[in-house]
Amino acid sequence: MFASAQADSKSDSFVEKLKTFYTTCVSESIDPKKTAQGRVVFSDTHILKVDKQFKSQLSSIKQSSGISIISTEEHHPEISQLKIKYLDNIPGSNETGFLVRFIVKGSGKKVYFYVSDSTDDRYDPNNYCKQIDNLKRSAPIEKLETTLSKIQRQSANVFPLEKWGDDWEEGRRNQAVYNCTSDPMILKNLDTYVFPNINGDRELIILDIGGGKGRLAEKIIHSAQQKDIKVYYILLEPIASQVNKAKERFSKIQELYKDRLIIQVIVSTLENFTKQDCYHKYVGAVDCIISSGGPLNMSIVTQSDAQKNLAVMHGLLTKDGKIIVNGLTHTLVNKKDFHKCGFTLFNMSARIIDVDGDPVVKQDYVARKNNTI
Ligand SMILES: C[S@@+](CC[C@H](N)C(=O)[O-])C[C@H]1O[C@@H](n2cnc3c(N)ncnc32)[C@H](O)[C@@H]1O
């Protein structure tokens, strides 16, 4: 049916509603006095009625990923794609809502609508108009989405540390992302940028920061051993229950590879690790850092802590050490941050992950510490 959404009858009707919403929004015949909860963001003044059912369908997107993209190329005469983004922080207000974007066929023009998240029928239209004005003030239309993403990254909530004691990765979607896109990306980049540089019989020192239960560590160790590379694997993880599970896993692998493998587990956050005496032993000694959903990512740390953590990671690496970064949530450091910390980027790639049938873009990074000596 739709190119990017495996539309069942429920999502079909949802797409139908969105198309109607679009048609109503662009139509000239709207009664501008109608008080309702959907409005074109730029150029138009009409406010449209959006029913509760429509809103609850929008909310289901909020629960899955925050963003949904649906191709309507073959199914609507005017629009080729629609995108729905949940705004959990509208600049200048405490309100939440949805930004609905349609791409017009032929011209590629983007048309934006705002839908309030409020389910209260007695909402205040003046307040509603204020949200639109805040959105308009926050960015010119061509920068609206990038500005909103930036704001979202700057103000994203951090999960309490205890949350990582749960089996957070067990969900079908999380497992699929790790097994099908995230882990293969790390293994491929190790093959390309890290493993070929190990000479002779020396061991490769890998530091896996926020390594959890050693899920990815196991895959990396097997991969290195298949290439006959000795490994010194350090897993840094603050949560004891995760560490215990990692240790169970490691005892079996250790048995398999014996003296070709050394594993060390450090129970700490990265931030606390820097305050420990043993930390100095690792400075400038690590060949490769892995941060897969670690303390550079949204939900794990704030953006300013992610930037500080990147600088710490830089200090831990050997003079041409490598770092590979990805994760389930967005990475909070960007190309500029890598350069500022003294890295050269080898690779910065957008990985498209499938979230309930919709593509969501994640940015991955592979970098090398600048050889300054
Ligand atoms: C999304 S999980 C990723 C686990 C693992 N890297 C994997 O790929 O399976 C995030 C992990 O980072 C750990 N973590 C959270 N805050 C951290 C911090 N400040 N420093 C180091 N690790 C942290 C959590 O305890 C959790 O195990």
Side-chain angles (χ1 to χ4, degrees):
M1 199 44 209
F2 295 99
S4 59
Q6 279 124 36
D8 53 17
S9 54
K10 193 174 142 217
S11 59
D12 270 359
S13 79
F14 177 49
V15 172
E16 284 310 316
K17 276 183 168 249
L18 273 166
K19 287 196 269 184
T20 312
F21 176 59
Y22 169 76
T23 312
T24 328
C25 285
V26 295
S27 145
E28 299 287 347
S29 60
I30 313 285
D31 175 2
K33 290 192 201 92
K34 254 190 193 169
T35 53
Q37 299 181 54
R39 208 184 91 169
V40 62
V41 177
F42 286 82
S43 79
D44 203 299
T45 52
H46 300 316
I47 296 179
L48 307 169
K49 184 80 185 160
V50 176
D51 67 25
K52 268 189 183 161
Q53 196 202 350
F54 181 76
K55 275 191 194 180
S56 69
Q57 284 173 311
L58 282 174
S59 289
S60 66
I61 285 167
K62 168 178 102 185
Q63 276 147 28
S64 66
S65 68
I67 296 182
S68 187
I69 298 173
I70 302 165
S71 168
T72 52
E73 188 63 61
E74 292 165 24
H75 307 281
H76 194 277
E78 284 173 66
I79 51 172
S80 61
Q81 189 199 76
L82 47 92
K83 176 174 171 183
I84 302 142
K85 183 175 166 58
Y86 180 62
L87 304 176
D88 57 2
N89 188 332
I90 295 170
S93 83
N94 297 323
E95 298 290 319
T96 57
F98 300 92
L99 190 68
V100 183
R101 184 195 77 185
F102 294 91
I103 297 189
V104 179
K105 277 187 184 171
S107 68
K109 191 178 158 209
K110 292 170 182 165
V111 186
Y112 293 90
F113 298 97
Y114 173 70
V115 181
S116 161
D117 195 17
S118 161
T119 46
D120 187 351
D121 280 340
R122 293 159 299 140
Y123 82 103
D124 173 4
N126 290 329
N127 189 40
Y128 178 69
C129 290
K130 224 166 82 194
Q131 306 316 318
I132 307 275
D133 292 339
N134 283 333
L135 273 177
K136 285 182 175 184
R137 257 197 302 275
S138 69
I141 186 127
E142 64 283 3
K143 290 205 174 145
L144 185 62
E145 288 183 89
T146 25
T147 304
L148 289 171
S149 299
K150 217 165 152 185
I151 291 167
Q152 195 183 11
R153 283 198 294 273
Q154 278 163 358
S155 57
N157 288 334
V158 173
F159 287 143
L161 210 49
E162 311 81 74
K163 144 107 187 137
W164 305 112
D166 299 341
D167 285 331
W168 56 269
E169 81 284 26
E170 294 293 310
R172 180 183 53 82
R173 175 160 69 83
N174 291 358
Q175 289 215 2
V177 172
Y178 274 118
N179 291 329
C180 303
T181 73
S182 179
D183 297 351
M185 173 266 172
I186 300 229
L187 294 171
K188 183 166 168 271
N189 284 307
L190 281 165
D191 276 350
T192 310
Y193 299 106
V194 181
F195 292 161
N197 300 328
I198 293 302
N199 303 318
D201 208 30
R202 100 162 173 88
E203 69 223 348
L204 171 71
I205 304 179
I206 299 178
L207 172 61
D208 183 350
I209 303 183
K213 295 171 181 162
R215 196 193 54 73
L216 174 62
E218 182 173 10
K219 293 186 187 180
I220 293 176
I221 292 168
H222 285 313
S223 176
Q225 295 290 342
Q226 276 159 16
K227 279 136 205 131
D228 214 19
I229 295 169
K230 273 190 183 177
V231 177
Y232 189 124
Y233 205 95
I234 310 157
L235 184 121
L236 183 84
E237 165 59 41
I239 302 291
S241 63
Q242 303 288 294
V243 164
N244 291 340
K245 287 183 182 150
K247 282 182 175 167
E248 268 174 44
R249 200 188 291 263
F250 289 156
S251 66
K252 292 182 199 137
I253 315 177
Q254 186 71 73
E255 193 57 34
L256 201 62
Y257 298 118
K258 307 231 164 25
D259 61 349
R260 299 200 58 77
L261 172 67
I262 298 168
I263 297 179
Q264 190 186 356
V265 176
I266 302 170
V267 189
S268 177
T269 60
L270 180 63
E271 297 83 341
N272 287 339
F273 177 52
T274 61
K275 295 173 196 144
Q276 295 171 19
D277 290 342
C278 69
Y279 163 70
H280 302 282
K281 182 172 110 190
Y282 298 92
V283 172
V286 176
D287 295 303
C288 178
I289 287 179
I290 305 287
S291 180
S292 164
L296 295 176
N297 282 66
M298 199 148 110
S299 305
I300 314 282
V301 289
T302 61
Q303 190 170 45
S304 73
D305 284 344
Q307 286 159 344
K308 285 180 206 151
N309 287 343
L310 187 64
V312 170
M313 293 180 192
H314 181 271
L316 287 163
L317 288 169
T318 57
K319 63 179 168 40
D320 63 349
K322 319 289 181 319
I323 179 167
I324 307 179
V325 179
N326 71 7
L328 209 59
T329 56
H330 290 290
T331 306
L332 294 174
V333 285
N334 60 21
K335 193 174 161 184
K336 230 167 149 183
D337 296 315
F338 275 93
H339 289 156
K340 210 160 117 191
C341 278
F343 285 105
T344 301
L345 274 173
F346 280 133
N347 195 357
M348 192 183 100
S349 54
R351 179 168 39 101
I352 312 239
I353 68 166
D354 182 279
V355 179
D356 300 333
D358 295 329
V360 173
V361 179
K362 300 279 164 198
Q363 199 68 57
D364 299 333
Y365 297 92
V366 187
R368 188 200 65 203
K369 182 166 170 166
N370 289 340
N371 191 340
T372 48
I373 299 168

